[in-house]
Amino acid sequence: MPQHTATIVPLPAMASTIEPAIVMGNCDSDDNIRVCRPGGSIDRDARLAVYPHPELEPGDEVLTMTDGSGRAYVVGVLSCKTEKKSRSGQLRLANGAYARIDRSLADESLKLYSKENELLIDYHCGTGTVKVNVASGNLDFTTTNGSIAFHSAKDIHMDGDCVAVNARNDIHMGIRDSHGGSGPVMSMKARKMQLVSPVMELTAQRAQLFLQETQIAGKKLIGRIGNIQSISRKFESVADTVMTKAKNVYRTVSELSQLKAGRQRTLIEKTSHMKARKTIMKSEQDFKVKAEKIHLG
């Protein structure tokens, strides 16, 4: 059988030292952190060898290992302020943002802060209220292919300098009654706006309407207006019965005033006065004039 020989080559001695150290500075971009031995002697840089990297702050106590070449590594955490804050109700992220449990009030709350200490989200567990606060910047909801829905058992309030609602196809707003039936509905499409309501009220100090064509259909119209002024090129009215009551009526016709009726009756309590440059009265049959006195000439 073949014989094999082995040669033992001694490795160079690589002594290592494990000892505690105090963090003196923050971690840099190369994962190096400034530490010193307990008692404040011999500051040096140590590379973090703990994953995930803890959020170390000056004053934290870590465990370091030094190899034979003098290179130091952080291999453990003995005491961390961030961990104490987390146990006491605070959790901090790498960029400085943090969450905190607030037990100062009767209603315990969970608060999320930005790295600039701005309150972003405030959740009160007692009332179930969630408040989203954006002190600086904008709040944007964006869906590329989906929809956004807001559901609330009670009221929804919107308040701002300008509230704009834009739609490509349709804007639909409706109210349901207590029995779940359909109430007033307003729908706006590309070239049409429709409003359906059992009762509609409009109150304004001043209103202006500019319409190319108007159609109004209804069973009854009641209007109480102090002053009416209408200017039109042609006015046409069709009705079964027209009843007008007024204290004084003044009519001015520049050219022709014509009345065509099956019968005409005029009842005047006091004086009837008619004045014309030329008067022609024609009757196909009888013409009767009856009075106590008749003056001609």
Side-chain angles (χ1 to χ4, degrees):
M1 295 181 62
Q3 296 182 352
H4 299 279
T5 59
T7 303
I8 299 176
V9 180
L11 297 175
M14 299 293 290
S16 60
T17 304
I18 299 178
E19 60 182 352
I22 303 299
V23 176
M24 303 301 296
N26 295 323
C27 185
D28 60 15
S29 59
D30 296 328
D31 296 334
N32 293 321
I33 192 168
R34 194 71 174 173
V35 298
C36 74
R37 291 180 179 177
S41 60
I42 309 178
D43 289 358
R44 54 181 174 170
D45 290 333
R47 186 173 182 181
L48 285 175
V50 180
Y51 187 84
H53 295 333
E55 293 294 327
L56 298 176
E57 297 181 0
D60 293 342
E61 187 177 9
V62 296
L63 185 65
T64 61
M65 182 185 71
T66 306
D67 59 18
S69 62
R71 179 62 171 159
Y73 300 88
V74 176
V75 295
V77 179
L78 301 177
S79 176
C80 183
K81 294 180 180 180
T82 305
E83 183 181 359
K84 293 179 181 179
K85 291 179 181 179
S86 176
R87 288 197 299 265
S88 63
Q90 187 174 106
L91 178 64
R92 187 176 294 273
L93 300 179
N95 66 342
Y98 62 95
R100 180 170 62 86
I101 298 177
D102 188 359
R103 297 185 176 92
S104 59
L105 301 176
D107 186 8
E108 189 177 38
S109 63
L110 175 63
K111 302 179 185 296
L112 176 62
Y113 293 86
S114 67
K115 62 181 180 180
E116 291 82 10
N117 293 323
E118 294 178 345
L119 179 61
L120 301 178
I121 299 177
D122 189 3
Y123 168 66
H124 294 264
C125 62
T127 60
T129 302
V130 179
K131 181 180 179 181
V132 179
N133 181 46
V134 182
S136 60
N138 301 320
L139 181 62
D140 189 1
F141 295 93
T142 302
T143 60
T144 304
N145 298 315
S147 302
I148 297 176
F150 293 94
H151 300 280
S152 175
K154 295 184 178 180
D155 300 337
I156 296 178
H157 300 275
M158 301 180 67
D159 185 11
D161 292 338
C162 178
V163 179
V165 179
N166 298 309
R168 295 185 180 91
N169 298 318
D170 186 8
I171 295 179
H172 185 88
M173 293 185 291
I175 297 178
R176 296 188 178 275
D177 57 21
S178 58
H179 303 287
S182 178
V185 176
M186 184 177 69
S187 176
M188 290 181 287
K189 299 184 182 296
R191 299 183 60 85
K192 182 179 180 181
M193 177 177 176
Q194 184 177 8
L195 175 62
V196 179
S197 175
V199 179
M200 184 178 68
E201 294 184 1
L202 175 62
T203 302
Q205 293 293 329
R206 184 176 181 181
Q208 292 182 341
L209 296 177
F210 300 95
L211 306 172
Q212 294 291 333
E213 182 178 350
T214 306
Q215 293 183 359
I216 299 177
K219 293 183 178 180
K220 189 175 182 180
L221 176 62
I222 299 175
R224 295 181 178 90
I225 303 175
N227 187 11
I228 298 178
Q229 182 178 2
S230 177
I231 301 174
S232 60
R233 195 174 65 86
K234 183 179 180 180
F235 179 79
E236 182 178 353
S237 177
V238 179
D240 291 339
T241 302
V242 177
M243 300 179 65
T244 303
K245 293 183 180 181
K247 187 175 182 180
N248 297 294
V249 177
Y250 299 92
R251 297 177 61 189
T252 301
V253 181
S254 60
E255 294 185 4
L256 174 64
S257 176
Q258 178 177 325
L259 173 63
K260 183 179 180 181
R263 293 185 305 162
Q264 181 181 7
R265 182 175 62 174
T266 304
L267 303 177
I268 300 174
E269 294 181 356
K270 295 182 180 180
T271 304
S272 176
H273 179 79
M274 182 179 69
K275 181 181 179 182
R277 179 177 298 178
K278 184 178 180 180
T279 302
I280 300 174
M281 301 180 70
K282 182 180 179 181
S283 176
E284 293 182 356
Q285 296 182 3
D286 298 340
F287 184 88
K288 296 181 180 180
V289 177
K290 183 178 179 181
E292 293 182 358
K293 292 182 180 181
I294 298 176
H295 300 275
L296 297 175

